[in-house]
PDB file of all heavy atoms in Angstrom:
ATOM      1  N   THR A   1       0.839  -1.188   0.000  1.00 61.00           N
ATOM      2  CA  THR A   1       0.000   0.000   0.000  1.00 61.00           C
ATOM      3  C   THR A   1       0.880   1.245   0.000  1.00 61.00           C
ATOM      4  O   THR A   1       1.844   1.350   0.741  1.00 61.00           O
ATOM      5  CB  THR A   1      -0.897   0.018   1.252  1.00 61.00           C
ATOM      6  OG1 THR A   1      -1.618  -1.206   1.302  1.00 61.00           O
ATOM      7  CG2 THR A   1      -1.855   1.178   1.209  1.00 61.00           C
ATOM      8  N   VAL A   2       0.534   2.183  -0.825  1.00 85.00           N
ATOM      9  CA  VAL A   2       1.278   3.428  -0.918  1.00 85.00           C
ATOM     10  C   VAL A   2       0.720   4.402   0.119  1.00 85.00           C
ATOM     11  O   VAL A   2      -0.494   4.489   0.310  1.00 85.00           O
ATOM     12  CB  VAL A   2       1.148   4.018  -2.342  1.00 85.00           C
ATOM     13  CG1 VAL A   2       1.879   5.328  -2.464  1.00 85.00           C
ATOM     14  CG2 VAL A   2       1.660   3.020  -3.374  1.00 85.00           C
ATOM     15  N   GLN A   3       1.623   5.120   0.780  1.00 89.00           N
ATOM     16  CA  GLN A   3       1.206   6.046   1.827  1.00 89.00           C
ATOM     17  C   GLN A   3       0.203   7.077   1.318  1.00 89.00           C
ATOM     18  O   GLN A   3      -0.770   7.384   2.012  1.00 89.00           O
ATOM     19  CB  GLN A   3       2.423   6.736   2.438  1.00 89.00           C
ATOM     20  CG  GLN A   3       3.211   5.793   3.339  1.00 89.00           C
ATOM     21  CD  GLN A   3       4.497   6.407   3.847  1.00 89.00           C
ATOM     22  OE1 GLN A   3       5.406   6.643   3.065  1.00 89.00           O
ATOM     23  NE2 GLN A   3       4.552   6.659   5.124  1.00 89.00           N
ATOM     24  N   SER A   4       0.400   7.563   0.113  1.00 90.00           N
ATOM     25  CA  SER A   4      -0.528   8.569  -0.414  1.00 90.00           C
ATOM     26  C   SER A   4      -1.929   7.988  -0.601  1.00 90.00           C
ATOM     27  O   SER A   4      -2.927   8.695  -0.428  1.00 90.00           O
ATOM     28  CB  SER A   4      -0.006   9.173  -1.715  1.00 90.00           C
ATOM     29  OG  SER A   4       0.092   8.188  -2.722  1.00 90.00           O
ATOM     30  N   ASP A   5      -2.020   6.695  -0.924  1.00 94.00           N
ATOM     31  CA  ASP A   5      -3.329   6.041  -1.044  1.00 94.00           C
ATOM     32  C   ASP A   5      -4.032   6.004   0.317  1.00 94.00           C
ATOM     33  O   ASP A   5      -5.244   6.231   0.409  1.00 94.00           O
ATOM     34  CB  ASP A   5      -3.191   4.622  -1.587  1.00 94.00           C
ATOM     35  CG  ASP A   5      -2.725   4.581  -3.031  1.00 94.00           C
ATOM     36  OD1 ASP A   5      -2.897   5.595  -3.750  1.00 94.00           O
ATOM     37  OD2 ASP A   5      -2.186   3.536  -3.443  1.00 94.00           O
ATOM     38  N   LEU A   6      -3.269   5.707   1.363  1.00 94.00           N
ATOM     39  CA  LEU A   6      -3.838   5.692   2.709  1.00 94.00           C
ATOM     40  C   LEU A   6      -4.299   7.085   3.116  1.00 94.00           C
ATOM     41  O   LEU A   6      -5.367   7.253   3.709  1.00 94.00           O
ATOM     42  CB  LEU A   6      -2.818   5.166   3.727  1.00 94.00           C
ATOM     43  CG  LEU A   6      -2.614   3.665   3.725  1.00 94.00           C
ATOM     44  CD1 LEU A   6      -1.401   3.284   4.559  1.00 94.00           C
ATOM     45  CD2 LEU A   6      -3.847   2.965   4.270  1.00 94.00           C
ATOM     46  N   GLU A   7      -3.502   8.080   2.807  1.00 95.00           N
ATOM     47  CA  GLU A   7      -3.869   9.459   3.147  1.00 95.00           C
ATOM     48  C   GLU A   7      -5.158   9.862   2.432  1.00 95.00           C
ATOM     49  O   GLU A   7      -6.019  10.510   3.029  1.00 95.00           O
ATOM     50  CB  GLU A   7      -2.727  10.407   2.803  1.00 95.00           C
ATOM     51  CG  GLU A   7      -1.527  10.225   3.712  1.00 95.00           C
ATOM     52  CD  GLU A   7      -0.255  10.895   3.213  1.00 95.00           C
ATOM     53  OE1 GLU A   7      -0.217  11.345   2.044  1.00 95.00           O
ATOM     54  OE2 GLU A   7       0.701  10.979   4.003  1.00 95.00           O
ATOM     55  N   LYS A   8      -5.303   9.471   1.181  1.00 96.00           N
ATOM     56  CA  LYS A   8      -6.528   9.759   0.427  1.00 96.00           C
ATOM     57  C   LYS A   8      -7.718   9.040   1.058  1.00 96.00           C
ATOM     58  O   LYS A   8      -8.798   9.624   1.212  1.00 96.00           O
ATOM     59  CB  LYS A   8      -6.387   9.326  -1.029  1.00 96.00           C
ATOM     60  CG  LYS A   8      -5.498  10.215  -1.850  1.00 96.00           C
ATOM     61  CD  LYS A   8      -5.374   9.653  -3.266  1.00 96.00           C
ATOM     62  CE  LYS A   8      -4.257  10.330  -4.028  1.00 96.00           C
ATOM     63  NZ  LYS A   8      -4.041   9.701  -5.340  1.00 96.00           N
ATOM     64  N   ALA A   9      -7.530   7.778   1.402  1.00 97.00           N
ATOM     65  CA  ALA A   9      -8.617   7.005   2.004  1.00 97.00           C
ATOM     66  C   ALA A   9      -9.050   7.625   3.328  1.00 97.00           C
ATOM     67  O   ALA A   9     -10.250   7.718   3.617  1.00 97.00           O
ATOM     68  CB  ALA A   9      -8.189   5.548   2.212  1.00 97.00           C
ATOM     69  N   ILE A  10      -8.084   8.063   4.124  1.00 97.00           N
ATOM     70  CA  ILE A  10      -8.396   8.714   5.405  1.00 97.00           C
ATOM     71  C   ILE A  10      -9.189   9.989   5.156  1.00 97.00           C
ATOM     72  O   ILE A  10     -10.190  10.253   5.834  1.00 97.00           O
ATOM     73  CB  ILE A  10      -7.103   8.987   6.206  1.00 97.00           C
ATOM     74  CG1 ILE A  10      -6.491   7.661   6.677  1.00 97.00           C
ATOM     75  CG2 ILE A  10      -7.388   9.904   7.395  1.00 97.00           C
ATOM     76  CD1 ILE A  10      -5.059   7.776   7.187  1.00 97.00           C
ATOM     77  N   ALA A  11      -8.760  10.785   4.190  1.00 97.00           N
ATOM     78  CA  ALA A  11      -9.463  12.037   3.881  1.00 97.00           C
ATOM     79  C   ALA A  11     -10.902  11.758   3.433  1.00 97.00           C
ATOM     80  O   ALA A  11     -11.839  12.447   3.866  1.00 97.00           O
ATOM     81  CB  ALA A  11      -8.707  12.817   2.814  1.00 97.00           C
ATOM     82  N   TYR A  12     -11.095  10.740   2.584  1.00 98.00           N
ATOM     83  CA  TYR A  12     -12.439  10.392   2.129  1.00 98.00           C
ATOM     84  C   TYR A  12     -13.305   9.924   3.305  1.00 98.00           C
ATOM     85  O   TYR A  12     -14.473  10.291   3.406  1.00 98.00           O
ATOM     86  CB  TYR A  12     -12.408   9.301   1.054  1.00 98.00           C
ATOM     87  CG  TYR A  12     -11.853   9.746  -0.270  1.00 98.00           C
ATOM     88  CD1 TYR A  12     -10.919   8.967  -0.946  1.00 98.00           C
ATOM     89  CD2 TYR A  12     -12.258  10.936  -0.865  1.00 98.00           C
ATOM     90  CE1 TYR A  12     -10.402   9.366  -2.171  1.00 98.00           C
ATOM     91  CE2 TYR A  12     -11.746  11.335  -2.090  1.00 98.00           C
ATOM     92  CZ  TYR A  12     -10.816  10.557  -2.737  1.00 98.00           C
ATOM     93  OH  TYR A  12     -10.308  10.951  -3.950  1.00 98.00           O
ATOM     94  N   CYS A  13     -12.726   9.118   4.173  1.00 98.00           N
ATOM     95  CA  CYS A  13     -13.471   8.636   5.338  1.00 98.00           C
ATOM     96  C   CYS A  13     -13.853   9.789   6.264  1.00 98.00           C
ATOM     97  O   CYS A  13     -14.967   9.829   6.782  1.00 98.00           O
ATOM     98  CB  CYS A  13     -12.658   7.596   6.105  1.00 98.00           C
ATOM     99  SG  CYS A  13     -12.560   5.996   5.293  1.00 98.00           S
ATOM    100  N   GLU A  14     -12.931  10.715   6.474  1.00 98.00           N
ATOM    101  CA  GLU A  14     -13.220  11.874   7.320  1.00 98.00           C
ATOM    102  C   GLU A  14     -14.363  12.697   6.722  1.00 98.00           C
ATOM    103  O   GLU A  14     -15.263  13.140   7.442  1.00 98.00           O
ATOM    104  CB  GLU A  14     -11.979  12.756   7.495  1.00 98.00           C
ATOM    105  CG  GLU A  14     -10.898  12.153   8.365  1.00 98.00           C
ATOM    106  CD  GLU A  14     -11.213  12.145   9.851  1.00 98.00           C
ATOM    107  OE1 GLU A  14     -12.280  12.632  10.284  1.00 98.00           O
ATOM    108  OE2 GLU A  14     -10.364  11.629  10.600  1.00 98.00           O
ATOM    109  N   ALA A  15     -14.336  12.897   5.413  1.00 98.00           N
ATOM    110  CA  ALA A  15     -15.401  13.657   4.746  1.00 98.00           C
ATOM    111  C   ALA A  15     -16.737  12.934   4.881  1.00 98.00           C
ATOM    112  O   ALA A  15     -17.768  13.559   5.188  1.00 98.00           O
ATOM    113  CB  ALA A  15     -15.049  13.879   3.283  1.00 98.00           C
ATOM    114  N   THR A  16     -16.723  11.629   4.666  1.00 98.00           N
ATOM    115  CA  THR A  16     -17.954  10.847   4.774  1.00 98.00           C
ATOM    116  C   THR A  16     -18.467  10.849   6.209  1.00 98.00           C
ATOM    117  O   THR A  16     -19.675  10.961   6.441  1.00 98.00           O
ATOM    118  CB  THR A  16     -17.720   9.405   4.280  1.00 98.00           C
ATOM    119  OG1 THR A  16     -17.219   9.470   2.943  1.00 98.00           O
ATOM    120  CG2 THR A  16     -18.997   8.588   4.323  1.00 98.00           C
ATOM    121  N   LYS A  17     -17.568  10.744   7.162  1.00 97.00           N
ATOM    122  CA  LYS A  17     -17.955  10.787   8.578  1.00 97.00           C
ATOM    123  C   LYS A  17     -18.668  12.108   8.883  1.00 97.00           C
ATOM    124  O   LYS A  17     -19.692  12.128   9.566  1.00 97.00           O
ATOM    125  CB  LYS A  17     -16.712  10.626   9.460  1.00 97.00           C
ATOM    126  CG  LYS A  17     -17.036  10.534  10.936  1.00 97.00           C
ATOM    127  CD  LYS A  17     -15.779  10.290  11.762  1.00 97.00           C
ATOM    128  CE  LYS A  17     -15.140  11.608  12.105  1.00 97.00           C
ATOM    129  NZ  LYS A  17     -14.089  11.503  13.113  1.00 97.00           N
ATOM    130  N   GLY A  18     -18.146  13.197   8.337  1.00 97.00           N
ATOM    131  CA  GLY A  18     -18.788  14.496   8.526  1.00 97.00           C
ATOM    132  C   GLY A  18     -20.166  14.552   7.888  1.00 97.00           C
ATOM    133  O   GLY A  18     -21.099  15.131   8.451  1.00 97.00           O
ATOM    134  N   THR A  19     -20.299  13.928   6.733  1.00 98.00           N
ATOM    135  CA  THR A  19     -21.593  13.881   6.053  1.00 98.00           C
ATOM    136  C   THR A  19     -22.601  13.097   6.888  1.00 98.00           C
ATOM    137  O   THR A  19     -23.748  13.519   7.054  1.00 98.00           O
ATOM    138  CB  THR A  19     -21.455  13.243   4.657  1.00 98.00           C
ATOM    139  OG1 THR A  19     -20.539  14.029   3.890  1.00 98.00           O
ATOM    140  CG2 THR A  19     -22.789  13.159   3.940  1.00 98.00           C
ATOM    141  N   TYR A  20     -22.172  11.964   7.435  1.00 98.00           N
ATOM    142  CA  TYR A  20     -23.073  11.174   8.285  1.00 98.00           C
ATOM    143  C   TYR A  20     -23.481  11.963   9.527  1.00 98.00           C
ATOM    144  O   TYR A  20     -24.641  11.908   9.949  1.00 98.00           O
ATOM    145  CB  TYR A  20     -22.418   9.859   8.709  1.00 98.00           C
ATOM    146  CG  TYR A  20     -22.249   8.844   7.607  1.00 98.00           C
ATOM    147  CD1 TYR A  20     -21.282   7.849   7.706  1.00 98.00           C
ATOM    148  CD2 TYR A  20     -23.042   8.855   6.476  1.00 98.00           C
ATOM    149  CE1 TYR A  20     -21.119   6.904   6.707  1.00 98.00           C
ATOM    150  CE2 TYR A  20     -22.882   7.919   5.472  1.00 98.00           C
ATOM    151  CZ  TYR A  20     -21.922   6.942   5.592  1.00 98.00           C
ATOM    152  OH  TYR A  20     -21.760   6.003   4.605  1.00 98.00           O
ATOM    153  N   ALA A  21     -22.544  12.686  10.117  1.00 97.00           N
ATOM    154  CA  ALA A  21     -22.859  13.495  11.300  1.00 97.00           C
ATOM    155  C   ALA A  21     -23.891  14.562  10.950  1.00 97.00           C
ATOM    156  O   ALA A  21     -24.846  14.793  11.703  1.00 97.00           O
ATOM    157  CB  ALA A  21     -21.595  14.135  11.852  1.00 97.00           C
ATOM    158  N   LEU A  22     -23.720  15.193   9.804  1.00 97.00           N
ATOM    159  CA  LEU A  22     -24.662  16.220   9.353  1.00 97.00           C
ATOM    160  C   LEU A  22     -26.036  15.612   9.095  1.00 97.00           C
ATOM    161  O   LEU A  22     -27.064  16.179   9.492  1.00 97.00           O
ATOM    162  CB  LEU A  22     -24.132  16.893   8.084  1.00 97.00           C
ATOM    163  CG  LEU A  22     -24.974  18.022   7.519  1.00 97.00           C
ATOM    164  CD1 LEU A  22     -25.077  19.175   8.513  1.00 97.00           C
ATOM    165  CD2 LEU A  22     -24.370  18.509   6.216  1.00 97.00           C
ATOM    166  N   MET A  23     -26.055  14.457   8.452  1.00 98.00           N
ATOM    167  CA  MET A  23     -27.326  13.793   8.163  1.00 98.00           C
ATOM    168  C   MET A  23     -28.033  13.388   9.457  1.00 98.00           C
ATOM    169  O   MET A  23     -29.253  13.533   9.570  1.00 98.00           O
ATOM    170  CB  MET A  23     -27.089  12.593   7.255  1.00 98.00           C
ATOM    171  CG  MET A  23     -26.615  12.999   5.865  1.00 98.00           C
ATOM    172  SD  MET A  23     -25.953  11.629   4.904  1.00 98.00           S
ATOM    173  CE  MET A  23     -27.451  10.824   4.376  1.00 98.00           C
ATOM    174  N   SER A  24     -27.270  12.905  10.420  1.00 97.00           N
ATOM    175  CA  SER A  24     -27.842  12.525  11.705  1.00 97.00           C
ATOM    176  C   SER A  24     -28.453  13.741  12.403  1.00 97.00           C
ATOM    177  O   SER A  24     -29.542  13.679  12.968  1.00 97.00           O
ATOM    178  CB  SER A  24     -26.768  11.904  12.599  1.00 97.00           C
ATOM    179  OG  SER A  24     -27.259  11.713  13.902  1.00 97.00           O
ATOM    180  N   HIS A  25     -27.732  14.835  12.339  1.00 97.00           N
ATOM    181  CA  HIS A  25     -28.196  16.065  12.983  1.00 97.00           C
ATOM    182  C   HIS A  25     -29.427  16.637  12.274  1.00 97.00           C
ATOM    183  O   HIS A  25     -30.291  17.234  12.916  1.00 97.00           O
ATOM    184  CB  HIS A  25     -27.052  17.097  12.988  1.00 97.00           C
ATOM    185  CG  HIS A  25     -27.416  18.384  13.628  1.00 97.00           C
ATOM    186  ND1 HIS A  25     -27.568  18.512  14.996  1.00 97.00           N
ATOM    187  CD2 HIS A  25     -27.664  19.609  13.100  1.00 97.00           C
ATOM    188  CE1 HIS A  25     -27.898  19.760  15.265  1.00 97.00           C
ATOM    189  NE2 HIS A  25     -27.952  20.443  14.135  1.00 97.00           N
ATOM    190  N   SER A  26     -29.518  16.433  10.976  1.00 97.00           N
ATOM    191  CA  SER A  26     -30.571  17.052  10.165  1.00 97.00           C
ATOM    192  C   SER A  26     -31.900  16.304  10.192  1.00 97.00           C
ATOM    193  O   SER A  26     -32.935  16.893   9.896  1.00 97.00           O
ATOM    194  CB  SER A  26     -30.109  17.164   8.710  1.00 97.00           C
ATOM    195  OG  SER A  26     -28.993  18.013   8.621  1.00 97.00           O
ATOM    196  N   THR A  27     -31.864  15.027  10.520  1.00 97.00           N
ATOM    197  CA  THR A  27     -33.114  14.252  10.472  1.00 97.00           C
ATOM    198  C   THR A  27     -33.815  14.257  11.820  1.00 97.00           C
ATOM    199  O   THR A  27     -33.185  14.367  12.867  1.00 97.00           O
ATOM    200  CB  THR A  27     -32.854  12.799  10.019  1.00 97.00           C
ATOM    201  OG1 THR A  27     -34.107  12.153   9.832  1.00 97.00           O
ATOM    202  CG2 THR A  27     -32.025  12.022  11.027  1.00 97.00           C
ATOM    203  N   GLU A  28     -35.124  14.149  11.738  1.00 97.00           N
ATOM    204  CA  GLU A  28     -35.922  14.015  12.957  1.00 97.00           C
ATOM    205  C   GLU A  28     -36.332  12.557  13.184  1.00 97.00           C
ATOM    206  O   GLU A  28     -36.874  12.235  14.233  1.00 97.00           O
ATOM    207  CB  GLU A  28     -37.154  14.919  12.881  1.00 97.00           C
ATOM    208  CG  GLU A  28     -36.780  16.386  12.889  1.00 97.00           C
ATOM    209  CD  GLU A  28     -37.992  17.297  12.834  1.00 97.00           C
ATOM    210  OE1 GLU A  28     -39.109  16.821  13.117  1.00 97.00           O
ATOM    211  OE2 GLU A  28     -37.807  18.472  12.513  1.00 97.00           O
ATOM    212  N   ASP A  29     -36.051  11.707  12.214  1.00 97.00           N
ATOM    213  CA  ASP A  29     -36.357  10.279  12.301  1.00 97.00           C
ATOM    214  C   ASP A  29     -35.326   9.620  13.210  1.00 97.00           C
ATOM    215  O   ASP A  29     -34.147   9.515  12.868  1.00 97.00           O
ATOM    216  CB  ASP A  29     -36.314   9.685  10.891  1.00 97.00           C
ATOM    217  CG  ASP A  29     -36.625   8.198  10.850  1.00 97.00           C
ATOM    218  OD1 ASP A  29     -36.438   7.505  11.883  1.00 97.00           O
ATOM    219  OD2 ASP A  29     -37.019   7.718   9.780  1.00 97.00           O
ATOM    220  N   GLN A  30     -35.752   9.195  14.383  1.00 98.00           N
ATOM    221  CA  GLN A  30     -34.828   8.652  15.384  1.00 98.00           C
ATOM    222  C   GLN A  30     -34.091   7.414  14.886  1.00 98.00           C
ATOM    223  O   GLN A  30     -32.902   7.241  15.147  1.00 98.00           O
ATOM    224  CB  GLN A  30     -35.576   8.328  16.686  1.00 98.00           C
ATOM    225  CG  GLN A  30     -34.675   8.013  17.849  1.00 98.00           C
ATOM    226  CD  GLN A  30     -33.718   9.158  18.198  1.00 98.00           C
ATOM    227  OE1 GLN A  30     -34.080  10.330  18.117  1.00 98.00           O
ATOM    228  NE2 GLN A  30     -32.509   8.823  18.576  1.00 98.00           N
ATOM    229  N   GLN A  31     -34.776   6.560  14.142  1.00 98.00           N
ATOM    230  CA  GLN A  31     -34.151   5.352  13.616  1.00 98.00           C
ATOM    231  C   GLN A  31     -33.047   5.709  12.615  1.00 98.00           C
ATOM    232  O   GLN A  31     -31.955   5.133  12.648  1.00 98.00           O
ATOM    233  CB  GLN A  31     -35.191   4.447  12.980  1.00 98.00           C
ATOM    234  CG  GLN A  31     -34.679   3.073  12.641  1.00 98.00           C
ATOM    235  CD  GLN A  31     -35.812   2.152  12.180  1.00 98.00           C
ATOM    236  OE1 GLN A  31     -36.922   2.605  11.889  1.00 98.00           O
ATOM    237  NE2 GLN A  31     -35.522   0.865  12.124  1.00 98.00           N
ATOM    238  N   ALA A  32     -33.322   6.667  11.746  1.00 98.00           N
ATOM    239  CA  ALA A  32     -32.313   7.109  10.779  1.00 98.00           C
ATOM    240  C   ALA A  32     -31.151   7.783  11.507  1.00 98.00           C
ATOM    241  O   ALA A  32     -29.987   7.566  11.163  1.00 98.00           O
ATOM    242  CB  ALA A  32     -32.940   8.068   9.768  1.00 98.00           C
ATOM    243  N   LYS A  33     -31.454   8.582  12.513  1.00 98.00           N
ATOM    244  CA  LYS A  33     -30.418   9.259  13.298  1.00 98.00           C
ATOM    245  C   LYS A  33     -29.464   8.239  13.920  1.00 98.00           C
ATOM    246  O   LYS A  33     -28.246   8.379  13.843  1.00 98.00           O
ATOM    247  CB  LYS A  33     -31.074  10.108  14.392  1.00 98.00           C
ATOM    248  CG  LYS A  33     -30.118  10.968  15.191  1.00 98.00           C
ATOM    249  CD  LYS A  33     -30.842  11.775  16.251  1.00 98.00           C
ATOM    250  CE  LYS A  33     -31.706  12.860  15.696  1.00 98.00           C
ATOM    251  NZ  LYS A  33     -31.044  14.043  15.198  1.00 98.00           N
ATOM    252  N   GLU A  34     -30.023   7.181  14.500  1.00 98.00           N
ATOM    253  CA  GLU A  34     -29.204   6.132  15.104  1.00 98.00           C
ATOM    254  C   GLU A  34     -28.357   5.418  14.055  1.00 98.00           C
ATOM    255  O   GLU A  34     -27.190   5.101  14.300  1.00 98.00           O
ATOM    256  CB  GLU A  34     -30.089   5.138  15.846  1.00 98.00           C
ATOM    257  CG  GLU A  34     -30.691   5.716  17.116  1.00 98.00           C
ATOM    258  CD  GLU A  34     -31.713   4.789  17.775  1.00 98.00           C
ATOM    259  OE1 GLU A  34     -31.766   3.591  17.429  1.00 98.00           O
ATOM    260  OE2 GLU A  34     -32.450   5.283  18.641  1.00 98.00           O
ATOM    261  N   MET A  35     -28.930   5.171  12.891  1.00 98.00           N
ATOM    262  CA  MET A  35     -28.201   4.485  11.820  1.00 98.00           C
ATOM    263  C   MET A  35     -27.026   5.344  11.346  1.00 98.00           C
ATOM    264  O   MET A  35     -25.910   4.855  11.182  1.00 98.00           O
ATOM    265  CB  MET A  35     -29.134   4.154  10.657  1.00 98.00           C
ATOM    266  CG  MET A  35     -28.437   3.444   9.524  1.00 98.00           C
ATOM    267  SD  MET A  35     -27.673   1.866   9.990  1.00 98.00           S
ATOM    268  CE  MET A  35     -29.108   0.860  10.233  1.00 98.00           C
ATOM    269  N   PHE A  36     -27.271   6.647  11.123  1.00 98.00           N
ATOM    270  CA  PHE A  36     -26.190   7.533  10.690  1.00 98.00           C
ATOM    271  C   PHE A  36     -25.080   7.602  11.746  1.00 98.00           C
ATOM    272  O   PHE A  36     -23.898   7.610  11.420  1.00 98.00           O
ATOM    273  CB  PHE A  36     -26.705   8.936  10.371  1.00 98.00           C
ATOM    274  CG  PHE A  36     -27.527   9.009   9.119  1.00 98.00           C
ATOM    275  CD1 PHE A  36     -28.777   9.611   9.117  1.00 98.00           C
ATOM    276  CD2 PHE A  36     -27.066   8.464   7.924  1.00 98.00           C
ATOM    277  CE1 PHE A  36     -29.536   9.688   7.966  1.00 98.00           C
ATOM    278  CE2 PHE A  36     -27.822   8.537   6.761  1.00 98.00           C
ATOM    279  CZ  PHE A  36     -29.063   9.147   6.789  1.00 98.00           C
ATOM    280  N   ASN A  37     -25.483   7.635  13.020  1.00 98.00           N
ATOM    281  CA  ASN A  37     -24.480   7.668  14.095  1.00 98.00           C
ATOM    282  C   ASN A  37     -23.683   6.365  14.151  1.00 98.00           C
ATOM    283  O   ASN A  37     -22.479   6.378  14.403  1.00 98.00           O
ATOM    284  CB  ASN A  37     -25.134   7.970  15.442  1.00 98.00           C
ATOM    285  CG  ASN A  37     -25.503   9.417  15.588  1.00 98.00           C
ATOM    286  OD1 ASN A  37     -24.857  10.301  15.024  1.00 98.00           O
ATOM    287  ND2 ASN A  37     -26.551   9.696  16.340  1.00 98.00           N
ATOM    288  N   MET A  38     -24.358   5.243  13.896  1.00 98.00           N
ATOM    289  CA  MET A  38     -23.669   3.956  13.877  1.00 98.00           C
ATOM    290  C   MET A  38     -22.691   3.892  12.700  1.00 98.00           C
ATOM    291  O   MET A  38     -21.561   3.421  12.843  1.00 98.00           O
ATOM    292  CB  MET A  38     -24.694   2.813  13.787  1.00 98.00           C
ATOM    293  CG  MET A  38     -24.142   1.472  14.172  1.00 98.00           C
ATOM    294  SD  MET A  38     -25.396   0.199  14.502  1.00 98.00           S
ATOM    295  CE  MET A  38     -26.671   0.502  13.321  1.00 98.00           C
ATOM    296  N   MET A  39     -23.112   4.393  11.557  1.00 98.00           N
ATOM    297  CA  MET A  39     -22.234   4.412  10.387  1.00 98.00           C
ATOM    298  C   MET A  39     -21.032   5.325  10.649  1.00 98.00           C
ATOM    299  O   MET A  39     -19.909   5.003  10.249  1.00 98.00           O
ATOM    300  CB  MET A  39     -23.033   4.862   9.158  1.00 98.00           C
ATOM    301  CG  MET A  39     -24.068   3.827   8.734  1.00 98.00           C
ATOM    302  SD  MET A  39     -25.361   4.427   7.618  1.00 98.00           S
ATOM    303  CE  MET A  39     -24.438   4.999   6.228  1.00 98.00           C
TER     304      MET A  39
END
């Protein structure tokens, strides 16, 4: 594995994690909120 590939993967995961946090915060559906937090 190339270090730059890992750095890219980490950056993508961090961005996706932020998206899930935003989605969890934005929904009023408790089941969806829990799922986004679990993801």
Side-chain angles (χ1 to χ4, degrees):
T1 306
V2 179
Q3 286 174 292
S4 63
D5 292 338
L6 283 169
E7 291 166 349
K8 287 177 193 174
I10 291 166
Y12 290 134
C13 286
E14 289 286 359
T16 304
K17 185 177 87 168
T19 300
Y20 290 157
L22 182 62
M23 293 166 78
S24 171
H25 180 73
S26 297
T27 187
E28 294 181 17
D29 180 336
Q30 191 59 37
Q31 191 172 13
K33 186 180 291 285
E34 289 173 15
M35 180 59 71
F36 289 129
N37 284 330
M38 197 165 37
M39 291 163 59

